[in-house]
Amino acid sequence: DVPQPGKPEPTADQLLKAAIILKIGGHAAVVEGGVTAIYSGEPNVTAYAHDNRTFVPVRFVAERMGADVDWENDTQTAVITKDGHTIRMKVGELTYTLDGVTKQLDVPAEFTPSVNNEFRTMVPVRFVTEALGYQVEWDKDRNLAVIIDPAYGWDPDGSVEAETMDQAVSLLTMYGGFV
Protein backbone atom coordinates (compact mmCIF):
# COMPACT_ATOMS: atom_id res chain seq x y z
CA ASP A 1 0.00 0.00 0.00
CA VAL A 2 1.22 3.46 -0.90
CA PRO A 3 1.73 5.67 2.18
CA GLN A 4 -0.90 8.32 2.89
CA PRO A 5 -0.29 11.77 4.41
CA GLY A 6 -0.41 11.63 8.20
CA LYS A 7 0.34 7.89 8.34
CA PRO A 8 3.56 6.48 9.80
CA GLU A 9 6.63 6.15 7.61
CA PRO A 10 6.92 2.78 5.85
CA THR A 11 8.96 0.01 7.42
CA ALA A 12 11.89 -1.71 5.73
CA ASP A 13 9.64 -4.70 4.96
CA GLN A 14 7.04 -2.42 3.33
CA LEU A 15 9.71 -0.68 1.25
CA LEU A 16 11.18 -4.03 0.22
CA LYS A 17 7.74 -5.17 -1.00
CA ALA A 18 7.15 -1.88 -2.85
CA ALA A 19 10.50 -1.59 -4.63
CA ILE A 20 12.21 -3.24 -7.55
CA ILE A 21 15.85 -3.70 -6.58
CA LEU A 22 18.47 -4.81 -9.10
CA LYS A 23 22.11 -5.61 -8.44
CA ILE A 24 24.46 -4.53 -11.19
CA GLY A 25 25.85 -7.64 -12.86
CA GLY A 26 23.24 -9.88 -11.24
CA HIS A 27 20.66 -11.93 -13.10
CA ALA A 28 18.15 -11.72 -10.23
CA ALA A 29 16.17 -8.87 -8.68
CA VAL A 30 14.06 -8.28 -5.60
CA VAL A 31 10.44 -7.72 -6.62
CA GLU A 32 7.52 -7.55 -4.16
CA GLY A 33 9.85 -8.71 -1.39
CA GLY A 34 11.03 -11.87 -3.15
CA VAL A 35 13.83 -12.79 -5.51
CA THR A 36 13.05 -13.41 -9.17
CA ALA A 37 15.13 -13.94 -12.31
CA ILE A 38 15.38 -10.98 -14.63
CA TYR A 39 14.87 -13.45 -17.48
CA SER A 40 14.21 -17.04 -16.46
CA GLY A 41 16.70 -19.42 -18.03
CA GLU A 42 18.91 -16.56 -19.26
CA PRO A 43 21.51 -15.84 -16.57
CA ASN A 44 23.55 -13.71 -18.98
CA VAL A 45 20.76 -11.07 -19.09
CA THR A 46 21.67 -8.78 -16.20
CA ALA A 47 21.40 -5.17 -15.13
CA TYR A 48 24.72 -3.56 -16.05
CA ALA A 49 26.45 -0.20 -16.05
CA HIS A 50 28.42 1.65 -18.69
CA ASP A 51 28.79 5.28 -19.74
CA ASN A 52 27.89 6.08 -16.10
CA ARG A 53 24.37 4.75 -16.67
CA THR A 54 22.58 1.66 -15.40
CA PHE A 55 20.92 -0.43 -18.12
CA VAL A 56 18.04 -2.80 -17.49
CA PRO A 57 15.90 -5.04 -19.70
CA VAL A 58 12.98 -2.82 -20.73
CA ARG A 59 10.33 -5.54 -20.54
CA PHE A 60 11.35 -6.77 -17.09
CA VAL A 61 11.29 -3.34 -15.47
CA ALA A 62 8.33 -1.81 -17.31
CA GLU A 63 6.06 -4.82 -16.74
CA ARG A 64 6.93 -4.85 -13.02
CA MET A 65 5.73 -1.23 -12.91
CA GLY A 66 2.41 -2.24 -14.45
CA ALA A 67 3.14 -1.19 -18.03
CA ASP A 68 2.62 -3.11 -21.26
CA VAL A 69 5.57 -3.52 -23.61
CA ASP A 70 5.40 -4.18 -27.33
CA TRP A 71 8.19 -4.53 -29.85
CA GLU A 72 8.11 -3.17 -33.41
CA ASN A 73 10.70 -5.28 -35.18
CA ASP A 74 10.68 -3.32 -38.45
CA THR A 75 11.69 -0.08 -36.69
CA GLN A 76 13.56 -1.68 -33.73
CA THR A 77 11.31 0.28 -31.36
CA ALA A 78 10.13 -0.60 -27.86
CA VAL A 79 6.64 0.74 -27.15
CA ILE A 80 5.67 1.08 -23.49
CA THR A 81 2.12 1.97 -22.45
CA LYS A 82 0.72 2.69 -19.01
CA ASP A 83 -2.22 4.70 -17.72
CA GLY A 84 -2.93 6.25 -21.12
CA HIS A 85 0.70 7.26 -21.73
CA THR A 86 2.90 5.90 -24.52
CA ILE A 87 6.67 5.85 -24.65
CA ARG A 88 8.40 4.93 -27.91
CA MET A 89 12.12 4.25 -27.89
CA LYS A 90 14.13 3.14 -30.89
CA VAL A 91 17.32 1.18 -30.20
CA GLY A 92 20.42 3.25 -30.97
CA GLU A 93 18.63 6.62 -30.98
CA LEU A 94 19.31 9.48 -28.56
CA THR A 95 15.66 10.54 -28.58
CA TYR A 96 12.40 8.94 -27.51
CA THR A 97 8.81 10.13 -27.44
CA LEU A 98 6.48 10.41 -24.48
CA ASP A 99 2.90 10.86 -25.69
CA GLY A 100 4.24 12.07 -29.03
CA VAL A 101 6.57 14.69 -27.54
CA THR A 102 10.24 14.16 -28.42
CA LYS A 103 12.60 13.94 -25.46
CA GLN A 104 16.39 13.65 -25.30
CA LEU A 105 18.50 10.81 -23.88
CA ASP A 106 22.17 11.01 -23.00
CA VAL A 107 22.74 7.34 -23.94
CA PRO A 108 20.63 5.23 -26.32
CA ALA A 109 18.84 1.95 -25.75
CA GLU A 110 20.87 -1.02 -26.93
CA PHE A 111 20.73 -4.76 -27.44
CA THR A 112 22.46 -7.35 -25.26
CA PRO A 113 22.93 -10.97 -26.36
CA SER A 114 20.59 -13.55 -24.95
CA VAL A 115 20.27 -17.27 -25.58
CA ASN A 116 19.84 -18.84 -29.02
CA ASN A 117 21.33 -15.76 -30.74
CA GLU A 118 18.44 -13.62 -29.56
CA PHE A 119 18.83 -10.17 -28.07
CA ARG A 120 17.18 -8.26 -25.25
CA THR A 121 16.48 -4.54 -25.42
CA MET A 122 18.31 -2.71 -22.65
CA VAL A 123 17.42 0.83 -21.63
CA PRO A 124 18.87 3.37 -19.21
CA VAL A 125 16.88 2.66 -16.02
CA ARG A 126 16.30 6.33 -15.22
CA PHE A 127 14.59 6.86 -18.59
CA VAL A 128 11.98 4.16 -18.10
CA THR A 129 11.29 4.74 -14.44
CA GLU A 130 10.97 8.51 -14.54
CA ALA A 131 8.94 8.45 -17.77
CA LEU A 132 6.49 6.11 -15.99
CA GLY A 133 6.38 8.30 -12.88
CA TYR A 134 8.67 6.27 -10.61
CA GLN A 135 11.72 7.26 -8.61
CA VAL A 136 15.08 5.60 -9.22
CA GLU A 137 17.98 5.71 -6.82
CA TRP A 138 21.50 4.33 -7.03
CA ASP A 139 23.13 2.77 -3.99
CA LYS A 140 26.80 2.91 -4.89
CA ASP A 141 28.04 1.11 -1.77
CA ARG A 142 25.80 -1.92 -2.39
CA ASN A 143 25.87 -1.70 -6.21
CA LEU A 144 22.06 -1.63 -6.37
CA ALA A 145 19.47 0.27 -8.40
CA VAL A 146 16.19 0.93 -6.56
CA ILE A 147 12.93 1.68 -8.37
CA ILE A 148 9.96 2.80 -6.28
CA ASP A 149 6.80 4.89 -6.37
CA PRO A 150 7.81 8.40 -5.20
CA ALA A 151 4.86 8.40 -2.75
CA TYR A 152 7.07 6.25 -0.50
CA GLY A 153 9.48 9.15 -0.14
CA TRP A 154 12.61 7.02 -0.55
CA ASP A 155 15.51 8.77 1.17
CA PRO A 156 18.85 7.42 -0.09
CA ASP A 157 20.45 8.39 3.23
CA GLY A 158 17.62 7.13 5.45
CA SER A 159 18.12 4.43 8.07
CA VAL A 160 14.96 2.51 7.07
CA GLU A 161 16.14 2.58 3.46
CA ALA A 162 19.58 1.30 4.53
CA GLU A 163 17.86 -1.57 6.36
CA THR A 164 15.83 -2.26 3.20
CA MET A 165 19.00 -2.38 1.09
CA ASP A 166 20.68 -4.72 3.57
CA GLN A 167 17.66 -7.04 3.38
CA ALA A 168 17.80 -6.92 -0.44
CA VAL A 169 21.50 -7.80 -0.46
CA SER A 170 20.83 -10.68 1.93
CA LEU A 171 18.00 -12.01 -0.25
CA LEU A 172 20.03 -11.70 -3.45
CA THR A 173 23.00 -13.40 -1.81
CA MET A 174 20.85 -16.21 -0.44
CA TYR A 175 18.59 -16.85 -3.45
CA GLY A 176 20.16 -15.08 -6.42
CA GLY A 177 22.08 -18.12 -7.57
CA PHE A 178 18.96 -20.31 -7.62
CA VAL A 179 16.69 -18.30 -9.88
Side-chain angles (χ1 to χ4, degrees):
D1 292 324
V2 176
Q4 301 298 318
K7 294 219 175 175
E9 295 295 315
T11 66
D13 286 338
Q14 289 169 324
L15 289 176
L16 193 66
K17 288 179 182 162
I20 300 167
I21 303 172
L22 300 118
K23 183 169 183 64
I24 303 307
H27 70 278
V30 176
V31 178
E32 296 178 351
V35 177
T36 186
I38 291 175
Y39 269 97
S40 185
E42 298 183 28
N44 63 321
V45 178
T46 67
Y48 61 86
H50 78 86
D51 292 332
N52 293 317
R53 295 291 175 260
T54 300
F55 283 77
V56 296
V58 65
R59 184 171 303 277
F60 175 81
V61 171
E63 287 179 350
R64 296 317 174 280
M65 292 187 294
D68 291 317
V69 179
D70 290 311
W71 176 250
E72 294 177 351
N73 200 47
D74 57 332
T75 62
Q76 304 286 282
T77 302
V79 181
I80 305 162
T81 55
K82 182 180 180 199
D83 299 333
H85 298 287
T86 302
I87 302 163
R88 297 178 59 81
M89 179 178 228
K90 185 174 179 174
V91 171
E93 298 282 325
L94 285 171
T95 59
Y96 69 97
T97 62
L98 174 58
D99 298 332
V101 177
T102 301
K103 308 259 184 190
Q104 196 69 33
L105 291 166
D106 51 359
V107 292
E110 57 192 29
F111 291 124
T112 193
S114 179
V115 295
N116 301 326
N117 291 324
E118 293 181 19
F119 291 88
R120 297 290 176 217
T121 304
M122 306 296 285
V123 295
V125 69
R126 191 166 302 280
F127 145 76
V128 173
T129 57
E130 291 179 354
L132 291 174
Y134 282 72
Q135 177 180 351
V136 63
E137 296 294 339
W138 170 243
D139 186 316
K140 179 180 167 188
D141 294 337
R142 295 174 184 89
N143 208 27
L144 298 172
V146 179
I147 302 162
I148 194 164
D149 185 318
Y152 283 91
W154 185 274
D155 176 3
D157 299 319
S159 61
V160 174
E161 288 80 356
E163 183 183 342
T164 303
M165 296 286 77
D166 289 343
Q167 287 181 18
V169 168
S170 177
L171 285 168
L172 289 168
T173 300
M174 189 179 329
Y175 298 109
F178 297 103
V179 295

